Amino acid sequence: MAAHFDTEYQRLEASYSDSPTGEENLLVHVPDGNKSPWHHIENLDLFFQRVYNLHQKNGFTCMLLGEVFELVQLLFVVGFTVFLANCVDYDILFANKFVNHTDSSKVTLPDAFLPVDVCSASIRDNVAVMFVLMISGVFWLHRLIKFIYNVCCYWEIRSFYTNALKMSMAELPYFTWQEVQARIVEIQKEHQICIHKKELTELDIYHRILRFKNYMVAMVNKSLLPVRFRPPLLGESVFYTRGLKYNFELIFFWGPGSLFESEWSLKPQYKRGGNRLELADKLASRILWIGIANLLLCPVVLVWQILYAFFSYTEVIKREPGSLGARCWSLYGRCYLRHFNELDHELMSRLSKGYKASSRYMNCFLSPLLTVVAKNVAFFAGSLLAVLIALTIYDEDVLAVEHVLSSITLLGVCITVCRSFIPDKHLVYCPEQLLRLILAHIHYMPDHWQGNAHRYETRDQFSQLFQYKAVFILEELTSPLVTPFILIFSLRRKSLEIIDFFRNFTVEVVGVGDTCSFAQMDIRQHGHPAWMSEGKTEASIYQQAEDGKTELSLMHFAITNPQWQPPTETTHFISQLKERVQRETTGDRQTLTSLSGSEPRSLIANFLAGPPSLASLHLGRDGSLTDHGPVGVSDGASALRSLSVSSTRGSCSSTHRSAGHASSASRAMPGSSTDARTASSGSSVWEGQLTSLVLSEYASTEMSIHALYIHELHKQQSGGELSRHTWHRQDSDDSSDSVTEEGGSGGGNPNPRNPIPRSHTFPISTPISTPGPIPSSNSGPNPDRGTTPGQEVTPLQSNSQRRSGGNTDSVGPGGRVVRSVRVPMGGWAEDGRGGRHPDTVPEEGSEDDMPPNTHKVFTQTHTDLVFVYGVPYHCFPLSSGDVTDLRDPTYLPTLILILPEKNFLLICELSTMASPLTPDG
Amino acid sequence: MNCRSEVLEVSVEGRQVDEAMLALLHTILLHRSTGKFHYKKEGTYSIGTVGTQDIDCDYIDFSFVRVSSDELDRVIRKAVGEFKDAMGNGTDGMGQISLEFYQKKKSRWPFSDECIPWEVWSIKVNVVNLANEQERQICREKVGEKLGEKVINIVEVINQHEYLPKMPTQSEVDNVFDTSLKDVQPYLYKITFQITDTLGTSKTTWFCAY
């Protein structure tokens, strides 16, 4: 703010009249408003999503055109169908009826059309057609309004790109998302898009864009969503279609009465454990209604699906009939394979890279029986076709004979189909290596696949991720019929688990809002001991992400966003892992001595096809950078080459570091943050003047290496013993069984209504619904950024909770006896119902009235002190829940922490206004 | 979401409610008000002066500073009065007053102007019932102390240089400041409140925007 003094500073006359006394002795200000319309955007979630979408759709014009054509397509599909059904005289078309023309004998297409009046009359008479037309009219209008609204919104985003980010729409397709993101981060400093903090991190942006997707990924990871079924004849199968996904999202995230009250916050009642049963009932009835609505709308949706599939796929099938035999990544696969915080384009590029290897792998399993049949069918069909074609070449009148053209087409299709069953003679398949190559790209794989790559079960399970296109279309077509039943019969039963999931795995992050706690990628909270985070994780079994998802997601995010500064523990984890991988890849045997003895000597050598020969390493070092993709090369060599690329960069990084400074201006990020990270992680290979596109290619390779390494290490660690990570825990009951093995809490789950996997640590280890850890936003000393007391307290508090959550036999904050949770779970549901009386609200001294087996949960008064990081806190539980709910495994008492120095009262979100709150003194 | 929120919590006796609320609301508004802007040529402006005033509470051992603007005081008093009426004369009760600062954003034709909050202060009030005069006397002092702490709290929060709307040009001053008052110019704000009855089940949301 520019201020200049007209005169020397002097005291103003003591005057309470507000009018300026004299023109000459006034401070004059220059307003600084109106410079940027981009400060303080209200709905950052939507804003970032739109920014991302616009980038992915390659700019405004492309997007606009695409949407316009979509609208036109819709009109066309409906209009053309109605026209075909009502306005065409098929008799003329099939030449069953002759037209008497005056001038020529040729039948033209317009001859086959019925006159307009006949046509419209037949449409008007047909009630069903009118119904379809009306429905689609409403639908289309809805789409049109949405389109117009979108255009207005995206116009704003467009001007954001051009004015604030300084990227013109024409060059937008040539910017990577990472570049766009770096500019957004930079802009924040100037425009303050988000007002909570001075600086945005990459993770914040990802969190906002992927808020709901992260929840879905986590739910699939924890096998919460009912997508796996065991129909009588088909065996175990996965059913997850777009319609089903839409319904899930409708129920959880944005539909009327959903769990979220806005894009960024879960409704407060869902964060409290008190009335979870009622909420579950409510959710169940909502699911029922939505299921019924689905059932009612089923005919409409079905007709639409069929029409849409017909018009979008017939042309493709005619053009290349083999495409039905081609495969694609199933919707479930995309969810299962997705990392936390992975954007669509990152996932798609990863999966596309794995596509070739995957289809080669699937082709290994051609049935020999089918091959024999196919060979012979192809032979006969081929000879017929050859004769027909030869005859046609000789005299094209053959084509005029009835059905000759159609038989040629059919025979052609038949041969193409047959050929896809005949394996290529000159290829040798090694399923194990192929599977490893696939793993390098898809990053997730159940343990038992390794070593069983040649088995049919593995193939079947893999085909759930990687299905036939034909199956995909078929599933989409049947989806309207099946979805309502899945909702009504399958999802509804899980309502309590869903409520618990959202309560336990939601954290409130300052500046981001409520996010899925898995998406924080906090090793300590959600790490899995079998996946590299042994000793670092404090998560209970319920909290651990399966299949090493936390660890792999963390690595993936750190590698794709090298500028991201994770919290210190996480940085430690990343750098440790990177160092190990680096050591392995460089083959430096001497440094290996520092590794612990139990560790395999040369993991990389294990997972590569052969021992890493130095010659090939050197070859790779000066090999061309562009040809590092493993396509068409044998798995080992390609992996070696990509390895060597990264190791070359690593070894060069120190020498290039100074050079990198000079050229850092070309990068969007300030060099200082890069250096800080480089210093901390120690092995950042991304130095030098590489463009970000090259960077992202390297990043994917590096991630592949890490994924392979982590999997290999995991395999070595688990050492063949039966892992509890069965491929797709069919129902959560499975894992609860395995929990009993590990935790030793007796005999299964007596309550069929609530098959939550739980261990003895389960109940108290779920304290996440309060403002949780904020690794990205809050940690890291940032001197120029003041923290509000609330922000200051949160990490400490979550820490104390975590401490209470980690160990069973420890004493929780304030001496809370956590033994109570060993109470058998049986019949708690009934107790919960009985105990819902308000008079059992725990108050001071009421513990005598409690049932004996609750072990006096509230043994302390509100004046107890908890020492967290040496700072004393008053701590007292405050709950509107009732006593019997305390035995409920997921019960979480509310804690109030008071920071004495600050005199600040931090009330967790859980505390209801109705809770008895005594004046603290 | 894109908005700071601060929560203050006080426990007071029934008759202290309005004074406590006035004290806190006025303290916040004191720091969120400026003098009137007088725009001059070439887009510059000068700021008028703001007077302050000490107010002593009757039922609490406490005095606070407020902007000496009777108009503003009237507005706040009216809101607090409505809040107290809504709480009723019941002995126990919980309530919450929110003071929300927002700015307006002009939108293009199809949409109406957006009001985007940038800071929300929520004051949770817990009304306690006291048995005898002695307790009242203790409470009187205690609440005074508490309010003092809260005031320091507020000042601490305000002293952190967090986001504030940028100073507007003349045409935009209505989007940031409430220019309806003659002698003072607070940031645009609105006051809402929420009452929870003793059972804690039903919530009534009252709304008064200024």
Side-chain angles (χ1 to χ4, degrees):
Chain A
M1 184 183 303
H4 58 89
F5 301 97
D6 281 352
T7 61
E8 282 176 14
Y9 178 76
Q10 51 180 258
R11 198 170 143 265
L12 277 176
E13 314 250 348
S15 128
Y16 289 102
S17 76
D18 209 42
S19 59
T21 45
E23 289 295 309
E24 62 279 355
N25 46 6
L26 274 179
L27 217 52
V28 177
H29 303 265
V30 178
D32 53 358
N34 202 18
K35 274 187 188 135
S36 108
W38 305 114
H39 64 94
H40 185 204
I41 287 154
E42 182 168 33
N43 192 339
L44 270 178
D45 274 44
L46 262 183
F47 183 76
F48 284 144
Q49 270 165 27
R50 286 179 182 149
V51 168
Y52 177 71
N53 280 343
L54 199 64
H55 175 260
Q56 288 306 302
K57 301 229 170 104
N58 299 318
F60 188 72
T61 327
C62 287
M63 208 197 67
L64 194 71
L65 262 182
E67 294 219 347
V68 167
F69 277 125
E70 223 167 87
L71 280 176
V72 173
Q73 217 178 42
L74 216 96
L75 272 188
F76 178 80
V77 168
V78 175
F80 195 53
T81 322
V82 172
F83 173 80
L84 284 183
N86 292 294
C87 301
V88 177
D89 193 342
Y90 287 95
D91 284 342
I92 294 177
L93 212 58
F94 298 146
N96 297 337
K97 193 166 87 182
F98 291 99
V99 239
N100 36 356
H101 275 288
T102 45
D103 44 351
S104 76
S105 61
K106 289 234 167 153
V107 179
T108 55
L109 268 184
D111 289 338
F113 301 158
L114 292 173
V116 180
D117 48 337
V118 178
C119 183
S120 58
S122 82
I123 291 175
R124 237 173 289 133
D125 293 345
N126 196 337
V127 183
V129 171
M130 282 308 281
F131 177 72
V132 168
L133 275 182
M134 240 159 61
I135 297 263
S136 41
V138 170
F139 184 64
W140 193 80
L141 273 182
H142 169 246
R143 287 283 294 266
L144 184 72
I145 292 166
K146 229 169 111 183
F147 165 74
I148 292 170
Y149 176 74
N150 270 345
V151 167
C152 295
C153 296
Y154 279 101
W155 185 257
E156 210 132 284
I157 302 296
R158 182 187 172 276
S159 56
F160 176 71
Y161 265 108
T162 44
N163 300 331
L165 296 183
K166 306 267 182 290
M167 289 173 171
S168 77
M169 281 296 116
E171 51 187 14
L172 188 61
Y174 311 107
F175 280 107
T176 61
W177 170 249
Q178 252 61 19
E179 283 173 302
V180 175
Q181 193 174 268
R183 288 211 190 171
I184 294 177
V185 170
E186 192 134 298
I187 291 241
Q188 160 73 6
K189 289 172 198 149
E190 181 189 342
H191 296 267
Q192 276 219 305
I193 303 173
C194 173
I195 64 164
H196 282 280
K197 352 173 165 177
K198 287 255 167 10
E199 289 182 21
L200 273 177
T201 65
E202 286 83 358
L203 191 62
D204 290 347
I205 299 176
Y206 271 71
H207 271 332
R208 283 183 182 275
I209 297 176
L210 293 169
R211 194 188 301 271
F212 297 149
K213 292 223 168 97
N214 280 331
Y215 272 110
M216 292 301 269
V217 171
M219 278 195 272
V220 166
N221 184 258
K222 296 300 284 180
S223 307
L224 188 62
L225 292 181
V227 291
R228 307 191 61 75
F229 305 95
R230 217 178 262 281
L233 290 176
L234 299 169
E236 193 191 40
S237 61
V238 169
F239 188 85
Y240 189 50
T241 57
R242 279 183 289 194
L244 196 56
K245 188 176 150 205
Y246 180 87
N247 273 295
F248 285 158
E249 285 169 356
L250 181 82
I251 289 165
F252 300 142
F253 302 128
W254 52 267
S258 67
L259 273 58
F260 277 74
E261 62 182 350
S262 57
E263 257 109 13
W264 51 80
S265 64
L266 196 64
K267 281 182 188 153
Q269 64 262 36
Y270 289 98
K271 296 181 185 174
R272 290 192 289 265
N275 43 357
R276 54 192 276 276
L277 295 173
E278 290 156 47
L279 290 175
D281 285 347
K282 222 175 97 190
L283 182 69
S285 70
R286 250 193 89 230
I287 293 172
L288 178 68
W289 283 114
I290 287 180
I292 289 173
N294 260 292
L295 207 59
L296 292 180
L297 287 177
C298 159
V300 179
V301 185
L302 187 67
V303 167
W304 172 253
Q305 288 275 21
I306 290 170
L307 289 183
Y308 188 79
F310 179 76
F311 285 107
S312 34
Y313 295 116
T314 28
E315 193 267 338
V316 180
I317 292 166
K318 201 190 123 283
R319 192 153 34 88
E320 34 178 336
S323 68
L324 275 191
R327 291 180 174 268
C328 61
W329 295 99
S330 70
L331 212 57
Y332 174 76
R334 284 176 208 191
C335 235
Y336 173 78
L337 298 174
R338 193 177 196 140
H339 292 293
F340 295 122
N341 299 315
E342 185 175 33
L343 288 170
D344 290 339
H345 73 276
E346 292 164 354
L347 177 73
M348 282 328 288
S349 76
R350 194 156 68 83
L351 293 185
S352 305
K353 278 177 191 157
Y355 183 86
K356 203 154 189 171
S358 305
S359 44
R360 272 169 64 198
Y361 173 74
M362 292 311 271
N363 284 340
C364 296
F365 291 92
L366 292 175
S367 144
L369 189 78
L370 265 180
T371 309
V372 174
V373 174
K375 266 183 186 161
N376 286 290
V377 170
F379 172 74
F380 292 119
S383 22
L384 276 178
L385 186 66
V387 169
L388 281 180
I389 288 174
L391 286 177
T392 313
I393 291 169
Y394 180 69
D395 187 349
E396 64 182 13
D397 280 346
V398 174
L399 282 179
V401 177
E402 203 178 14
H403 295 314
V404 165
L405 195 63
S406 39
S407 9
I408 289 181
T409 320
L410 273 182
L411 286 173
V413 170
C414 178
I415 289 171
T416 332
V417 170
C418 287
R419 202 170 290 151
S420 67
F421 289 109
I422 304 170
D424 191 341
K425 278 181 206 144
H426 310 292
L427 280 178
V428 179
Y429 292 120
C430 334
E432 203 67 49
Q433 280 187 31
L434 274 176
L435 204 61
R436 206 158 271 160
L437 192 55
I438 294 167
L439 178 64
H441 293 297
I442 66 173
H443 300 173
Y444 292 102
M445 191 172 276
D447 296 336
H448 63 268
W449 283 9
Q450 289 198 0
N452 290 322
H454 57 284
R455 307 203 29 170
Y456 229 78
E457 296 84 45
T458 310
R459 178 211 167 266
D460 284 347
Q461 286 170 357
F462 186 62
S463 74
Q464 288 168 0
L465 305 181
F466 194 62
Q467 60 186 176
Y468 279 117
K469 187 103 187 169
V471 175
F472 173 78
I473 296 169
L474 208 69
E475 276 184 0
E476 286 296 327
L477 287 184
T478 51
S479 160
L481 294 174
V482 183
T483 302
F485 296 101
I486 292 180
L487 291 181
I488 293 174
F489 296 110
S490 223
L491 186 68
R492 208 151 60 92
R493 274 191 292 129
K494 299 222 170 194
S495 58
L496 188 61
E497 282 177 68
I498 290 164
I499 294 286
D500 286 340
F501 179 88
F502 275 95
R503 189 180 62 250
N504 293 328
F505 297 123
T506 296
V507 284
E508 196 179 326
V509 180
V510 174
V512 179
D514 291 335
T515 54
C516 183
S517 64
F518 285 106
Q520 295 287 322
M521 302 181 295
D522 189 351
I523 297 292
R524 202 153 77 142
Q525 266 197 315
H526 294 297
H528 195 296
W531 291 88
M532 303 273 309
S533 42
E534 181 84 71
K536 297 186 191 75
T537 175
E538 291 172 12
S540 68
I541 289 169
Y542 180 60
Q543 287 176 313
Q544 290 161 2
E546 311 295 336
D547 306 312
K549 199 138 210 155
T550 315
E551 291 80 5
L552 281 162
S553 298
L554 177 64
M555 282 319 293
H556 178 262
F557 191 79
I559 286 172
T560 43
N561 294 283
Q563 320 290 351
W564 178 55
Q565 283 173 290
T568 39
E569 300 164 33
T570 315
T571 317
H572 186 65
F573 175 81
I574 295 171
S575 59
Q576 208 183 353
L577 181 59
K578 278 193 172 179
E579 254 168 56
R580 282 161 80 168
V581 172
Q582 204 95 53
R583 255 196 310 244
E584 292 284 343
T585 51
T586 46
D588 191 351
R589 296 281 162 168
Q590 291 195 328
T591 51
L592 277 178
T593 50
S594 64
L595 295 174
S596 60
S598 67
E599 219 160 327
R601 274 292 143 131
S602 175
L603 289 165
I604 299 295
N606 274 345
F607 71 67
L608 296 179
S613 69
L614 275 176
S616 63
L617 266 176
H618 282 298
L619 190 92
R621 218 164 261 202
D622 42 26
S624 73
L625 298 182
T626 49
D627 186 26
H628 70 281
V631 185
V633 203
S634 94
D635 142 34
S638 72
L640 262 185
R641 186 173 305 169
S642 43
L643 271 187
S644 59
V645 167
S646 70
S647 63
T648 317
R649 300 301 321 163
S651 60
C652 292
S653 64
S654 54
T655 54
H656 278 305
R657 199 161 289 169
S658 50
H661 275 298
S663 64
S664 63
S666 66
R667 271 177 289 151
M669 287 304 293
S672 56
S673 66
T674 325
D675 286 344
R677 205 185 114 73
T678 313
S680 62
S681 69
S683 71
S684 173
V685 296
W686 316 125
E687 285 296 313
Q689 49 281 65
L690 294 168
T691 67
S692 74
L693 199 66
V694 180
L695 276 186
S696 74
E697 278 173 35
Y698 279 133
S700 81
T701 317
E702 196 187 358
M703 185 57 213
S704 300
I705 305 275
H706 280 86
L708 284 176
Y709 181 81
I710 290 174
H711 271 272
E712 194 64 31
L713 202 65
H714 169 67
K715 195 177 141 202
Q716 306 255 352
Q717 271 180 358
S718 55
E721 76 195 32
L722 187 69
S723 164
R724 73 180 172 85
H725 301 281
T726 51
W727 165 237
H728 305 308
R729 299 142 295 277
Q730 168 63 31
D731 205 330
S732 316
D733 281 327
D734 298 352
S735 34
S736 96
D737 285 345
S738 54
V739 166
T740 17
E741 288 168 30
E742 286 186 60
S745 64
N749 188 357
N751 191 349
R753 217 190 121 201
N754 179 37
I756 312 174
R758 54 171 80 93
S759 67
H760 55 296
T761 52
F762 174 77
I764 40 104
S765 56
T766 52
I768 313 163
S769 43
T770 48
I774 315 166
S776 62
S777 59
N778 210 354
S779 58
N782 197 349
D784 57 0
R785 185 181 135 270
T787 47
T788 64
Q791 286 170 324
E792 215 161 305
V793 174
T794 12
L796 301 171
Q797 177 214 16
S798 68
N799 178 60
S800 77
Q801 287 177 338
R802 229 186 274 143
R803 194 180 295 174
S804 75
N807 318 311
T808 13
D809 46 359
S810 78
V811 173
R816 191 160 60 92
V817 183
V818 293
R819 249 180 306 129
S820 60
V821 298
R822 292 192 194 240
V823 168
M825 312 295 180
W828 53 269
E830 292 86 343
D831 288 349
R833 202 168 296 122
R836 239 177 260 166
H837 307 297
D839 54 347
T840 46
V841 169
E843 287 164 358
E844 287 178 53
S846 71
E847 63 259 324
D848 296 340
D849 307 333
M850 289 185 191
N853 54 354
T854 48
H855 286 286
K856 293 184 184 175
V857 173
F858 294 105
T859 46
Q860 84 285 21
T861 60
H862 64 273
T863 49
D864 274 12
L865 286 178
V866 191
F867 286 85
V868 181
Y869 289 149
V871 181
Y873 294 91
H874 295 285
C875 170
F876 58 98
L878 176 78
S879 171
S880 61
D882 38 10
V883 178
T884 32
D885 253 5
L886 302 177
R887 294 159 59 198
D888 165 350
T890 49
Y891 175 76
L892 165 73
T894 306
L895 295 175
I896 295 197
L897 297 179
I898 305 153
L899 201 56
E901 293 90 353
K902 292 267 173 188
N903 294 317
F904 188 83
L905 202 64
L906 181 94
I907 310 293
C908 309
E909 290 294 311
L910 301 182
S911 66
T912 53
M913 306 260 292
S915 329
L917 181 75
T918 48
D920 45 296
Chain B
M1 173 57 220
N2 204 359
C3 137
R4 280 192 302 276
S5 68
E6 310 288 341
V7 180
L8 304 169
E9 190 148 339
V10 284
S11 294
V12 293
E13 206 196 347
R15 55 183 184 165
Q16 296 169 330
V17 168
D18 41 2
E19 280 184 342
M21 290 303 100
L22 276 180
L24 294 177
L25 291 177
H26 266 307
T27 308
I28 298 166
L29 276 169
L30 173 69
H31 297 282
R32 292 286 181 232
S33 302
T34 66
K36 297 288 278 187
F37 284 5
H38 300 280
Y39 283 93
K40 300 180 189 310
K41 61 215 174 294
E42 290 145 19
T44 58
Y45 63 92
S46 62
I47 304 177
T49 51
V50 181
T52 55
Q53 205 175 337
D54 276 16
I55 304 293
D56 297 324
C57 299
D58 291 335
Y59 298 108
I60 312 171
D61 282 347
F62 188 64
S63 50
F64 61 92
V65 184
R66 72 166 168 85
V67 174
S68 68
S69 158
D70 290 337
E71 275 180 278
L72 185 65
D73 188 45
R74 221 172 296 135
V75 171
I76 303 296
R77 262 180 207 284
K78 190 165 156 249
V80 171
E82 275 180 43
F83 174 66
K84 206 188 171 192
D85 290 347
M87 293 269 287
N89 295 322
T91 47
D92 291 327
M94 299 278 284
Q96 171 177 329
I97 286 198
S98 306
L99 175 59
E100 178 182 311
F101 292 101
Y102 64 97
Q103 57 184 353
K104 283 191 210 156
K105 209 169 228 180
K106 288 263 185 288
S107 305
R108 229 172 286 108
W109 158 71
F111 312 106
S112 56
D113 285 0
E114 292 175 274
C115 291
I116 307 175
W118 49 272
E119 190 175 65
V120 178
W121 294 84
S122 308
I123 307 171
K124 290 187 178 171
V125 194
N126 182 31
V127 179
V128 292
N129 199 14
L130 297 177
N132 52 36
E133 199 52 45
Q134 198 188 352
E135 276 184 22
R136 287 207 180 104
Q137 206 53 43
I138 296 168
C139 180
R140 190 186 160 96
E141 289 170 21
K142 239 184 188 166
V143 170
E145 278 170 34
K146 270 276 161 239
L147 284 181
E149 288 169 13
K150 299 291 173 216
V151 167
I152 290 170
N153 236 340
I154 291 169
V155 174
E156 270 175 9
V157 169
I158 279 170
N159 272 339
Q160 293 160 353
H161 290 281
E162 298 273 356
Y163 174 84
L164 282 180
K166 298 221 170 110
M167 288 303 142
T169 55
Q170 187 160 18
S171 57
E172 287 182 329
V173 70
D174 285 334
N175 292 346
V176 177
F177 289 106
D178 178 6
T179 49
S180 60
L181 305 175
K182 274 206 299 292
D183 42 4
V184 68
Q185 183 176 282
Y187 283 101
L188 281 174
Y189 67 93
K190 61 184 170 202
I191 299 176
T192 55
F193 50 81
Q194 221 177 30
I195 308 295
T196 316
D197 63 8
T198 37
L199 290 174
T201 43
S202 69
K203 270 184 192 171
T204 337
T205 307
W206 297 73
F207 185 82
C208 52
Y210 294 95

